[in-house]
Amino acid sequence: MIEKYTIASEPDKTMFVFAKNGQFYGHIVKNATTKAPAKLVFETEKYTTVDALKAAYPPAETL
C-alpha cells in the first residue's frame, strides 16, 4: 500500500492506494462502525499516476 486517505465526496469511505506493474489503483473501503466491520466497496480502474487517481477520487481537505 502506497497511501490511504478519506474521499472528499464520501467521508465515510477510505481510499487505499496500491501499485502494480507501473500502474496505480485503489480499494475504496467503507469505514467500520460500532455495528458493522469495514467493508470493501470496490476497486478502481488503473491509472498511470497517483495524481490521476486522486483527480478522479479527490482526498478530503486536511487541516
Side-chain angles (χ1 to χ4, degrees):
M1 179 178 69
I2 295 174
E3 68 178 286
K4 71 177 186 177
Y5 62 86
T6 302
I7 299 172
S9 62
E10 302 182 64
D12 66 328
K13 295 186 174 89
T14 301
M15 170 73 75
F16 292 87
V17 180
F18 298 93
K20 184 176 182 181
N21 298 328
Q23 297 203 327
F24 301 91
Y25 64 97
H27 286 173
I28 297 178
V29 176
K30 183 173 167 106
N31 298 337
T33 64
T34 56
K35 295 183 179 184
K39 179 179 171 184
L40 177 67
V41 178
F42 72 93
E43 180 177 300
T44 67
E45 60 187 75
K46 293 184 173 49
Y47 294 88
T48 55
T49 66
V50 174
D51 290 332
L53 176 64
K54 285 184 172 183
Y57 301 95
E61 294 289 325
T62 57
L63 301 175

